Amino acid sequence: MRVLLTGGAGFVGSHLAELLLDRGHQVSVIDDLSTGAMDNIAHLKGRPGFDYVIDSVMNEPLMAELIDRADVVYHLAAAVGVKLIVEAPVRTIETNVHGTEVVLKHASKKDKLVVIFSTSEVYGKSTDVPFREDADLVTGPTFKHRWAYACSKAIDEFLALAYHRERHLPVIVVRLFNTVGPRQTGRYGMVIPTFVGQALAGRPITVYGDGQQTRSFTYVGDVVGALARLIEAPGAVGEVFNVGNTEEISIMALAERIKAMTGSASEIVRIPYDQAYDPGFEDMPRRVPALEKIRALIGYEPTVTLDGILERVIAHQRADDR
Ligand code: UDP
């Protein structure tokens, strides 16, 4: 198949590109390098069946052409990272909503299968864990910028499902839960690369809030494996799927574990949310996916434990530091 990856030079996109090439598909990447990086796809350049263009998904004539040439589109291009979202809400909303409009509009003209990337963030402040795909979404007020991300992604989901229902476009929506692995940068606030970087440099490990909030982290290799299988699974089209891992850990315990695994002398410090992000910032207390739906469809089972994830991220960041 010819596969188009928008945002293919990003962290998840670059891992997906590699897997699809390994499986014999042709892969085209479009990325504006806003949060992606050429370094992420440097090892793919020159591989047969791989090409890339540095441009924006807002470039409609180009997108029309790229989509026309593809059999499947994975639309990963988006503004990501809570830090970026809080600092640049206009860019977040415009990129996430308009970019998806462009992709769906042109895919619809040519009836191409599209995978739309959403996020566990859409569950918002819900405490109804584990989060099932059919659960209510609970976000905060519009003057708290964090929720712009959840709402912009929820609009993407609505639009994708509307194209499916009204125009019979084959779409699959995936909600990724805290995906982690080599090549993820801490620059946009993501907690594991940030903590590992701090621990390796001997700087304080910055736990936001009281550290009792939990997350469940998924290895990127497990995620891209599921993404590659979903497009071949009868019954996936028109559906929404969580992709994640149910192993839950508090952020304080995560900091302690990373400190121990790196043998770091870093102290663990608590930073109030107001200082870390914005005054009035709201975090979610727990986030765990329900995986029954994707398990039933493709037999998805995450294979890498949190310790396995941390070992890989630590090894990768140590190698980068050398
Ligand atoms: N976090 C933290 N210190 C950091 C970065 C993040 O304590 O330096 C916390 C953050 O407040 C959240 C959790 O770690 O509770 C996960 O944050 P991340 O930005 O990685 O992803 P989120 O789940 O918030 O989208």
Side-chain angles (χ1 to χ4, degrees):
M1 278 190 294
R2 294 182 70 108
V3 185
L4 174 65
L5 302 190
T6 74
F11 157 59
V12 176
S14 65
H15 283 275
L16 181 58
E18 193 170 340
L19 178 73
L20 294 170
L21 285 169
D22 288 347
R23 294 196 175 180
H25 299 299
Q26 294 183 42
V27 174
S28 301
V29 162
I30 175 168
D31 199 302
D32 68 358
L33 302 183
S34 52
T35 55
M38 280 310 292
D39 277 356
N40 288 342
I41 52 171
H43 63 300
L44 303 178
K45 282 200 244 170
R47 274 187 69 164
F50 180 74
D51 59 75
Y52 68 93
V53 50
I54 305 307
D55 212 315
S56 165
V57 290
M58 312 288 191
N59 181 343
E60 276 204 56
L62 175 64
M63 284 302 289
E65 172 67 23
L66 292 174
I67 290 171
D68 189 32
R69 279 196 252 145
D71 300 308
V72 184
V73 183
Y74 286 93
H75 175 44
L76 294 120
V80 288
V82 176
K83 215 178 181 61
L84 175 68
I85 277 126
V86 170
E87 284 164 10
V90 172
R91 178 169 147 203
T92 300
I93 298 166
E94 289 185 351
T95 307
N96 292 359
V97 176
H98 188 52
T100 303
E101 275 173 0
V102 169
V103 168
L104 290 170
K105 178 173 137 192
H106 291 283
S108 174
K109 284 186 184 158
K110 305 283 174 161
D111 204 30
K112 300 292 170 81
L113 174 61
V114 184
V115 181
I116 292 292
F117 283 75
S118 184
T119 163
S120 56
E121 182 89 9
V122 297
Y123 294 105
K125 295 188 279 187
S126 169
T127 51
D128 190 15
V129 284
F131 297 142
R132 286 170 47 99
E133 290 87 346
D134 57 2
D136 287 343
L137 311 181
V138 187
T139 55
T142 50
F143 52 82
K144 296 199 172 173
H145 296 317
R146 174 191 195 133
W147 304 117
Y149 182 49
C151 291
S152 65
K153 284 292 186 177
I155 281 289
D156 287 351
E157 293 196 23
F158 277 120
L159 193 60
L161 297 172
Y163 265 99
H164 175 65
R165 195 169 50 233
E166 210 178 304
R167 308 210 180 149
H168 311 291
L169 178 68
V171 297
I172 302 168
V173 176
V174 289
R175 294 179 179 160
L176 303 194
F177 281 66
N178 295 75
T179 303
V180 192
R183 301 204 286 269
Q184 185 177 42
T185 156
R187 210 172 304 136
Y188 308 105
M190 279 77 168
V191 66
I192 287 185
T194 301
F195 282 3
V196 170
Q198 291 167 338
L200 292 178
R203 286 185 275 115
I205 300 175
T206 53
V207 170
Y208 298 160
D210 64 7
Q212 295 313 300
Q213 70 275 26
T214 73
R215 293 294 186 272
S216 46
F217 297 94
T218 318
Y219 186 60
V220 66
D222 283 327
V223 172
V224 298
L227 296 172
R229 269 146 70 209
L230 269 177
I231 59 167
E232 287 165 0
V237 165
E239 297 291 332
V240 178
F241 296 94
N242 290 336
V243 184
N245 190 334
T246 51
E247 188 182 351
E248 190 180 7
I249 187 168
S250 76
I251 298 303
M252 181 56 81
L254 178 71
E256 285 161 358
R257 197 175 302 184
I258 289 173
K259 181 176 152 94
M261 285 176 75
T262 52
S264 171
S266 291
E267 59 170 333
I268 297 174
V269 296
R270 285 199 199 141
I271 298 183
Y273 284 121
D274 285 10
Q275 279 174 34
Y277 301 104
D278 242 4
F281 179 84
E282 294 179 306
D283 201 6
M284 47 277 292
R286 289 180 70 192
R287 185 188 277 165
V288 186
L291 296 175
E292 285 73 13
K293 189 170 173 186
I294 190 162
R295 193 178 286 138
L297 189 78
I298 61 167
Y300 169 78
E301 216 52 73
T303 61
V304 182
T305 61
L306 179 60
D307 280 346
I309 295 173
L310 294 178
E311 278 163 16
R312 287 161 209 227
V313 173
I314 291 166
H316 177 78
Q317 284 188 225
R318 276 205 169 114
D320 263 5
D321 290 346
R322 276 201 290 270

